Amino acid sequence: MLRYWLIGLTLVVTASTISIALYDPTDGIRPVEDADFYKNGRYPEAQVRLGNLLFFDKILSGNKNIACVTCHQPTLGTSDALALPLGEGAAGLGRERRVVADTPLLGRVPRNSQALYFLGAREFSSLFHDGRVEVDPNGNWESGFWSPAREQLPAGLDNVLAVQAMFPVLSDIEMVGHKGENPVATAVALDKLAGPDGAWALLARRLQAIPDYVDLFQAAYPDIANPEDITFVHAANAIAAFEATAFRADGSPFDRYLKTRDPGHLTRAARRGMALFYGPAGCSDCHSGKFQTDQKFHAIAMPQIGPGKNDGWDRSYWRATGFAGRLEDHGRGRVTGRAEDNLRFRTPSLRNVELTGPWGHAGAYATLEDTVRHHLDPVGALDRYDPARLELAALGTVIEQTAMGSRLEHRPVNPARIADYEKRDRWVQQSPALRQTIAAANQLDPVRLTDDQVDDLVAFLKALTDPRSRDQSNLIPSRVPSGLPVAD
Ligand code: HEC
Ligand code: HEC
């Protein structure tokens, strides 16, 4: 039976390979062009320059110890080479990043740091793995955007990429730190985001006090007459202008192919991979269009490692260790509140995907090939996934959160119990019940491909790399206006 099935498959593949000569499945895809981007991709140079400096400046973090670039490095595919980032309080960059003794850390950031390529294109109308920042289609929100800040989100943000930039600075684990450590973190813990004592205003005041920034903001935005006119909305718009400009990456072999339709721009393996990708392998059912994403949400049984997002009601970790923790991450479901959206994540763009590993929303896979193979047999791969093989730096000093909202407090985890605490980040993967939940939500059907075909798919994915994106160290400023260190 299996043999007949395999012969059938071979015939299908052969037939489709032959038909490629007549019908190119990428025919409907137009090359990347200026019109795909907000403002046609052209931002005033002064805004881009300002955004570049802000992106690298630790002044935007509560304890002045981390910048956007720490997790989005222009030499590491705009990510950080870690499965799960170590946020504020840790030190070092990329794989060298470590927890520092005596600096309390809440743990690892629950999701893999996303790449930033092409996000200035209009079709990216929602951001984050779960799309919790979105263009508001119904005009219900004054700001024009749906976001976790709801009615506190100010007006005047240029686009959804600028909206996104309002949020990392509010995240305790990423940038702002913990209640009591600095006034911005305390404001966030009290849910004071907007208004004159809100977190954004406190950060803007830091910028207003630095003369170099005042000059830069005035050059970028004519509506700023006095330092007090600088708001965090200006900063977010400038950061978005920088990201949209610096991380547009349409110089890949695939782009040259789309522009000229000359197959010579792709290796033979990449051409075979492209035919599979947009054909029988079914990849383009979700990774469609020029950026290889339908901008929608799907559950594909990706392994989940890390502390999760406090979703679900499973208490097995708590019962086994005594530490609090609802360790699931329900992805899109936690934004829409609809059960059918649970465990769905946004289809990532595959542009420059070769450079952005580890892969998956929790960085579970260390190689691109394993990531592709996961798709061929999602539930089987989830079951076979061995979290013990995953490289995670030791946590060392950690603190525990003991309550929410205005009563939020932290206390150090007893060092003798760190091993139990460390179990948390591999727990979901090791719990058969939790794995079953992820498997049950899966929407991706298995596909049977030969090893050669997998190689061809990976060759195609590598043809999506813009060679200029391999090393954008030219973006690293020699100094930033706050005078805080740039290089670590
Ligand atoms: C501690 C690491 C860390 C820092 C610092 C950080 N990020 Fe991120 N970034 C992440 C992670 C993790 C995600 C995915 C989060 C999620 O889906 O919940 C992300 C997501 C994003 C996205 C969404 C990408 C997409 O395709 O949806 C953008 C844009 C972004 N970050 C920009 C920034 C900017 C701008 C800053 C500074 C203001 C910043 N980040 C600071 C880790 C970080
Ligand atoms: C049913 C929709 C769907 C199909 C079909 C699909 N993918 Fe995916 N893919 C996704 C989603 C959703 C994610 C992110 C999942 C997550 O992180 O939980 C993803 C993630 C990936 C990633 C990791 C990207 C990153 O930045 O971490 C790669 C690589 C990838 N897919 C390649 C492929 C290839 C190759 C195929 C065809 C064999 C394929 N996909 C078919 C939906 C799909």
Side-chain angles (χ1 to χ4, degrees):
M1 176 62 198
L2 181 66
R3 187 174 313 156
Y4 290 118
W5 192 81
L6 281 178
I7 291 169
L9 185 77
T10 318
L11 286 177
V12 172
V13 172
T14 316
S16 69
T17 315
I18 292 165
S19 66
I20 295 302
L22 310 169
Y23 166 69
D24 177 344
T26 67
D27 264 354
I29 302 179
R30 294 184 42 76
V32 176
E33 55 193 6
D34 290 353
D36 293 333
F37 298 87
Y38 292 109
K39 305 193 188 213
N40 282 321
R42 293 204 191 85
Y43 293 84
E45 181 50 39
Q47 291 179 13
V48 176
R49 169 97 191 110
L50 170 61
N52 191 349
L53 293 166
L54 291 167
F55 192 84
F56 280 79
D57 201 332
K58 294 178 179 169
I59 194 78
L60 298 189
S61 61
N63 294 326
K64 302 184 187 170
N65 57 3
I66 188 167
C68 307
V69 71
T70 311
C71 301
H72 299 289
Q73 293 182 52
T75 50
L76 294 173
T78 62
S79 188
D80 58 359
L82 300 173
L84 301 169
L86 289 171
E88 81 85 36
L93 290 181
R95 270 187 264 276
E96 306 302 314
R97 197 157 170 81
R98 291 287 178 271
V99 175
V100 189
D102 304 329
T103 310
L105 210 70
L106 264 175
R108 296 185 179 88
V109 176
R111 292 180 182 162
N112 183 255
S113 167
Q114 285 173 289
L116 307 182
Y117 300 110
F118 289 111
L119 298 181
R122 280 171 224 273
E123 68 159 73
F124 290 83
S125 59
S126 78
L127 294 176
F128 287 124
H129 290 291
D130 53 17
R132 66 185 178 278
V133 154
E134 261 177 290
V135 175
D136 171 19
N138 308 320
N140 291 338
W141 297 91
E142 211 184 304
S143 66
F145 303 95
W146 167 249
S147 83
R150 295 165 176 258
E151 73 289 346
Q152 294 201 64
L153 190 73
L157 290 154
D158 280 346
N159 51 48
V160 73
L161 189 56
V163 176
Q164 191 286 333
M166 303 291 283
F167 288 94
V169 298
L170 305 181
S171 161
D172 54 357
I173 204 163
E174 288 190 2
M175 289 184 82
V176 84
H178 315 111
K179 185 181 163 192
E181 287 176 0
N182 64 73
V184 195
T186 302
V188 172
L190 302 173
D191 198 31
K192 276 198 203 162
L193 311 181
D197 324 319
W200 289 313
L202 296 177
L203 287 171
R205 236 166 273 154
R206 287 186 183 177
L207 300 171
Q208 294 163 5
I210 299 171
D212 280 359
Y213 268 130
V214 175
D215 292 346
L216 286 156
F217 272 94
Q218 286 186 325
Y221 297 102
D223 62 319
I224 299 175
N226 304 300
E228 309 81 71
D229 300 336
I230 297 174
T231 66
F232 202 80
V233 170
H234 292 115
N237 284 337
I239 291 172
F242 164 68
E243 292 170 312
T245 311
F247 305 129
R248 174 174 166 175
D250 46 334
S252 71
F254 179 68
D255 288 301
R256 289 199 291 277
Y257 173 73
L258 288 183
K259 277 187 197 123
T260 61
R261 294 286 161 186
D262 173 359
H265 288 301
L266 299 169
T267 63
R268 296 185 101 127
R271 258 180 278 165
R272 287 192 302 266
M274 182 169 79
L276 283 165
F277 188 96
Y278 287 99
C283 310
S284 61
D285 289 354
C286 304
H287 298 282
S288 53
K290 60 180 78 170
F291 302 122
Q292 291 80 37
T293 166
D294 56 3
Q295 307 292 357
K296 296 195 174 111
F297 303 84
H298 307 273
I300 65 161
M302 245 331 152
Q304 191 217 298
I305 51 144
K309 295 285 265 184
N310 235 15
D311 296 335
W313 295 104
D314 184 277
R315 292 157 152 240
S316 54
Y317 172 72
W318 174 73
R319 280 199 305 270
T321 65
F323 285 117
R326 287 152 57 205
L327 304 184
E328 290 166 73
D329 180 350
H330 285 179
R332 186 62 177 163
R334 66 199 315 278
V335 177
T336 65
R338 288 198 296 257
E340 67 266 29
D341 286 336
N342 279 357
L343 297 155
R344 295 186 186 179
F345 292 87
R346 200 176 104 228
T347 310
S349 165
L350 299 180
R351 292 310 197 103
N352 282 335
V353 71
E354 175 191 6
L355 310 177
T356 65
W359 293 270
H361 68 269
Y365 286 115
T367 72
L368 197 50
E369 184 183 333
D370 284 349
T371 315
V372 173
R373 283 189 186 277
H374 172 89
H375 286 72
L376 308 185
D377 177 17
V379 172
L382 175 75
D383 274 336
R384 285 190 300 273
Y385 182 85
D386 178 6
R389 283 176 46 197
L390 188 81
E391 270 181 56
L392 291 176
L395 280 179
T397 326
V398 276
I399 50 174
E400 224 192 332
Q401 188 168 305
T402 54
M404 298 299 284
S406 56
R407 291 179 297 113
L408 183 83
E409 301 297 341
H410 298 93
R411 64 164 181 239
V413 169
N414 176 353
R417 305 223 31 228
I418 289 292
D420 271 350
Y421 194 82
E422 285 269 11
K423 282 184 189 157
R424 185 174 71 158
D425 289 354
R426 292 178 168 87
W427 194 266
V428 168
Q429 206 44 46
Q430 274 164 356
S431 152
L434 289 172
R435 254 190 357 237
Q436 174 52 32
T437 308
I438 298 176
N442 176 50
Q443 303 174 286
L444 176 58
D445 292 331
V447 199
R448 195 173 284 254
L449 297 178
T450 64
D451 288 352
D452 286 347
Q453 288 175 316
V454 172
D455 291 348
D456 289 345
L457 276 177
V458 172
F460 172 62
L461 295 181
K462 290 184 176 171
L464 301 175
T465 306
D466 181 337
R468 286 172 306 195
S469 305
R470 287 187 188 280
D471 180 358
Q472 290 190 282
S473 45
N474 61 313
L475 299 173
I476 305 174
S478 53
R479 65 175 290 278
V480 288
S482 69
L484 290 164
V486 179
D488 62 353

